[in-house]
């Protein structure tokens, strides 16, 4: 369908964008438009004004800053996937990002848009949570940071207030072993299940595993029962199996035309096992 | 255009197939709407209008994008290329010739989108592998051909272009 009638503005600074967003409660930020415009075409959203971040300088940065990678919200999926500093410092991000949609969508879609959209099967939310990242947000009321652990609260729901804009994304890059697993029926579709596993290495001790799951479970979340099994022990194929069982039985599953809850539970358990094994091999 | 106020009519300065144009567009219009209705460039097709089928694929600053998921207003300051840009007059480009030779189209509705996705690929990677071609075209649907002839055409075109460039 054609888009509903809207107004459009393209401010040249973050302050102007915050002002515009706060004056009209039905206004919305547009970044790549790859989630928002389909939602509008389906009439699931009808914002009054779209506020485009494209003309605000400096929002597409991808750079090292101390022990963190700092990424601007307007960094596109394609620019992240083709960035040598990302593949060096955050190989999990490069591995997961390949599963996002198709080239034509990755050329426009952005990191900030993906995090704010908060799809329960989105690769960037899953990875941000596994890597213990955080976002900095700004509004007319000031700035604050939100840790990934507090950001994703439900399907398409984040803890961002309606007038807040993501201005920076910070991801620490200490040495960590990682694994990524995703199952989709067709390449490029949102995954029926996706899993990210981050394990500590010899230098960092044996505790601090972070395992995240998306897709079949309604919202991006950590699989703490599986983390608990792994923490303090050396990863073996047997331990991976135990952790996957513990993790899969802790979660609750959605059931729809794409798969029953039972099918999804089996899928998540096996993906968990494989992805923990994969990460274990990188320790 | 930069302004702090919002409007339902937006002035943009956009280059389309090599010609710069200053135009006023509706805020609600997608780039596909603008190309087809205002510019009468109807080679770009609209199928699903929600980013799934790829029929509307065009190039924006050299990158393949969905023109149904890009606002016309977001074209400001950008360079757009559509399927109309590929041929010179009535002489087809090597890629278009290869589509013809390999029967890579039947109804033709998907063709402009495939051509533009393939153009981005061949411009950034002149000798792609078969897997790279399949990956680059994976976001385009074709309900007629079964895809094999399209992949063969793109691989053939990459050889033709390689030979022509010595
Ligand atoms: C066919 C198709 C398949 C797809 N498959 C996948 C997939 O497999 N995996 C995946 O992860 N994604 C997928 N996507 C979505 C795509 O990755 C989007 O690019 C992404 O979800 C949103 O990014 P965007 O820049 O396009 O955001 P937009 O669509 O512009 O915005 C999305 C939301 O975020 C808000 N927003 C944007 N930027 C900010 C900001 N800086 N601060 C605060 N709020 C902001 C907007 O107001 C809006 O509510 C798919 C999309 C399509 C059309
Ligand atoms: S019309 Fe744009 S992707 Fe289908
Ligand atoms: S030729 Fe008919 S859809 Fe592709």
């Amino acid at each position: 369908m054609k888009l509903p009638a809207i107004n459009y503005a393209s401010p040249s600074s973050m302050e102007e964008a915050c002002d515009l967003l706060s004056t009209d409660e039905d206004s919305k930020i547009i970044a790549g438009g790859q989630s928002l415009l389909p939602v509008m075409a389906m009439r699931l959203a009808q914002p009054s004004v779209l506020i485009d971040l494209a003309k605000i300088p400096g929002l597409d940065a991808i750079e090292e800053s101390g022990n963190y990678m700092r990424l601007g919200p307007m960094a596109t999926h394609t620019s992240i996937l083709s960035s040598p500093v990302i593949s060096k410092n955050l190989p999990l991000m490069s591995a997961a990002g390949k599963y996002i949609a198709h080239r034509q969508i990755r050329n426009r879609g952005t990191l900030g848009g993906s995090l704010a959209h908060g799809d329960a099967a989105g690769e960037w939310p899953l990875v941000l949570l596994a890597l213990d990242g955080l976002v900095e947000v700004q509004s007319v009321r000031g700035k604050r940071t939100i840790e990934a652990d507090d950001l994703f609260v439900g399907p398409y729901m984040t803890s961002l207030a309606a007038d807040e804009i993501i201005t920076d994304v910070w991801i620490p890059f200490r040495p960590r072993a990682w694994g990524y697993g995703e199952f989709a029926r067709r390449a490029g579709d949102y995954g029926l299940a996706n899993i990210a596993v981050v394990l500590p290495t010899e230098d960092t001790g044996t505790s601090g595993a972070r395992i995240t799951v998306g897709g079949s479970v309604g919202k991006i979340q950590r699989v703490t029962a599986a983390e608990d099994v792994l923490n303090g022990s050396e990863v073996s194929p047997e331990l991976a199996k135990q952790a996957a069982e513990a993790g899969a039985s802790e979660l609750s599953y959605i059931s729809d035309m794409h798969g029953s809850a039972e099918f999804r539970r089996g899928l998540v358990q096996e993906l968990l096992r494989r992805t923990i094994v994969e990460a274990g091999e990188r320790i | 255009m930069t302004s702090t106020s919002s409007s339902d009519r937006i002035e943009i300065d956009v280059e389309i197939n090599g010609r710069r144009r200053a135009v006023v567009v509706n805020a609600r219009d997608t780039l596909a709407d603008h190309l087809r209705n205002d510019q009468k460039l109807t080679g770009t097709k609209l199928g699903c209008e929600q980013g799934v089928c790829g029929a509307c694929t065009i190039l924006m600053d050299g990158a393949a994008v969905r023109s149904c998921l890009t606002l016309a207003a977001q074209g400001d300051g950008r360079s757009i290329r559509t399927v109309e840009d590929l041929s010179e007059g009535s002489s087809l480009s090597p890629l278009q010739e290869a589509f013809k030779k390999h029967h890579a189209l039947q109804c033709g509705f998907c063709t402009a989108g495939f051509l533009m996705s393939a153009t981005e690929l061949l411009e950034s990677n002149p000798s792609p592998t078969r897997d790279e071609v399949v990956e680059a075209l994976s976001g385009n649907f074709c309900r007629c051909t079964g895809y094999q002839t399209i992949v063969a055409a793109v691989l053939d075109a990459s050889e033709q272009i390689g030979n022509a460039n010595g």
Side-chain angles (χ1 to χ4, degrees):
Chain A
M1 267 201 287
K2 298 295 174 200
L3 299 177
I6 44 163
N7 278 11
Y8 171 90
S10 123
S12 51
S13 73
M14 194 49 83
E15 288 68 31
E16 283 177 41
C18 289
D19 276 346
L20 281 164
L21 192 58
S22 72
T23 34
D24 182 343
E25 65 175 36
D26 291 327
S27 60
K28 253 192 172 308
I29 296 296
I30 182 165
Q34 304 300 292
S35 292
L36 183 56
L37 295 180
V39 164
M40 287 170 57
M42 293 181 246
R43 294 296 189 279
L44 297 171
Q46 187 160 353
S48 53
V49 185
L50 292 186
I51 303 161
D52 194 346
L53 300 183
K55 295 276 169 73
I56 302 176
L59 294 186
D60 56 359
I62 299 178
E63 61 188 22
E64 287 182 17
S65 177
N67 294 327
Y68 283 80
M69 286 299 301
R70 183 178 82 88
L71 294 100
M74 294 295 280
T76 61
H77 308 327
T78 295
S79 69
I80 293 170
L81 285 172
S82 52
S83 159
V85 270
I86 292 290
S87 50
K88 178 171 115 249
N89 293 331
L90 299 173
L92 169 59
M93 223 175 162
S94 309
K98 293 198 185 87
Y99 287 84
I100 302 177
H102 305 281
R103 173 86 191 177
Q104 301 82 351
I105 289 157
R106 295 195 295 265
N107 281 341
R108 294 278 304 151
T110 68
L111 175 63
S114 178
L115 296 176
H117 187 59
D119 193 290
E123 282 80 359
W124 292 151
L126 187 84
V127 164
L128 189 80
L129 185 58
L131 291 173
D132 202 7
L134 48 94
V135 296
E136 254 181 278
V137 303
Q138 188 175 335
S139 71
V140 285
R141 296 170 289 124
K143 295 185 185 188
R144 64 174 181 133
T145 56
I146 308 174
E147 309 224 345
D149 274 313
D150 302 321
L151 186 60
F152 308 107
V153 296
Y156 306 111
M157 280 189 291
T158 68
S159 52
L160 284 175
D163 65 347
E164 283 179 325
I165 304 176
I166 298 175
T167 58
D168 292 281
V169 180
W170 297 87
I171 306 179
F173 63 90
R174 47 183 178 275
R176 287 172 288 192
W178 59 275
Y180 183 76
E182 175 162 340
F183 177 82
R185 292 206 196 270
R186 285 181 310 195
D189 283 0
Y190 275 106
L192 275 185
N194 41 10
I195 309 272
V197 175
V198 175
L199 300 177
T201 61
E202 276 163 22
D203 312 339
T204 51
T206 50
S207 67
R210 290 180 74 94
I211 302 181
T212 55
V213 60
S216 284
V217 292
K219 73 164 195 168
I220 299 287
Q221 55 192 288
R222 285 175 67 179
V223 194
T224 47
E227 293 172 358
D228 291 345
V229 173
L230 297 179
N231 279 334
S233 309
E234 216 167 280
V235 180
S236 65
E238 185 47 39
L239 197 70
K241 195 160 166 256
Q242 282 172 28
E245 274 164 18
S249 50
E250 171 200 46
L251 300 163
S252 44
Y253 301 88
I254 51 175
S255 184
D256 62 16
M257 63 177 174
H258 302 295
S260 66
E262 199 189 336
F263 165 74
R264 289 167 186 273
R265 190 201 145 123
L267 182 63
V268 166
Q269 183 169 325
E270 178 56 14
L271 263 186
L272 268 173
R273 188 192 67 76
R274 287 187 201 179
T275 315
I276 294 168
V277 168
E278 182 196 338
E281 284 164 357
R282 290 201 174 92
I283 289 179
Chain B
M1 198 203 77
T2 42
S3 83
T4 26
S5 62
S6 74
S7 171
D8 62 347
R9 298 278 289 163
I10 314 291
E11 266 175 61
I12 62 167
D13 191 335
V14 58
E15 187 186 297
I16 300 173
N17 296 339
R19 257 184 65 193
R20 269 189 73 184
R21 299 161 199 248
V23 285
V24 178
V25 297
N26 292 322
R28 72 186 297 183
D29 284 351
T30 65
L31 197 48
D33 295 329
H34 174 65
L35 292 169
R36 290 178 52 81
N37 302 339
D38 301 339
Q39 302 291 348
K40 309 293 179 211
L41 292 169
T42 52
T44 300
K45 299 294 181 262
L46 273 171
C48 65
E49 298 194 284
Q50 45 179 276
V52 178
C53 74
C56 65
T57 304
I58 55 146
L59 300 187
M60 189 158 167
D61 294 339
V65 306
R66 307 289 208 219
S67 63
C68 75
L69 294 189
T70 306
L71 295 173
Q74 293 177 306
D76 186 38
R78 309 291 202 127
S79 161
I80 307 295
R81 282 160 64 203
T82 67
V83 68
E84 285 88 351
D85 192 51
L86 295 184
S87 57
E88 281 185 36
S90 58
S91 87
L92 298 180
S93 73
L95 180 63
Q96 290 170 308
E97 283 292 352
F99 266 58
K100 197 171 141 191
K101 178 173 151 202
H102 289 270
H103 304 289
L105 62 152
Q106 288 177 29
C107 78
F109 194 84
C110 68
T111 310
F114 273 99
L115 288 169
M116 299 322 280
S117 292
T119 298
E120 184 202 35
L121 173 70
L122 295 179
E123 287 181 355
S124 60
N125 176 6
S127 328
T129 62
R130 190 173 196 285
D131 283 351
E132 286 168 339
V133 172
V134 169
E135 160 64 23
L137 301 180
S138 68
N140 292 75
F141 281 178
C142 175
R143 298 285 83 145
C144 302
T145 62
Y147 301 100
Q148 305 306 318
T149 55
I150 299 178
V151 173
V154 176
L155 285 169
D156 192 4
S158 86
E159 274 178 37
Q160 300 303 326
I161 296 166
N163 291 343
N165 294 341

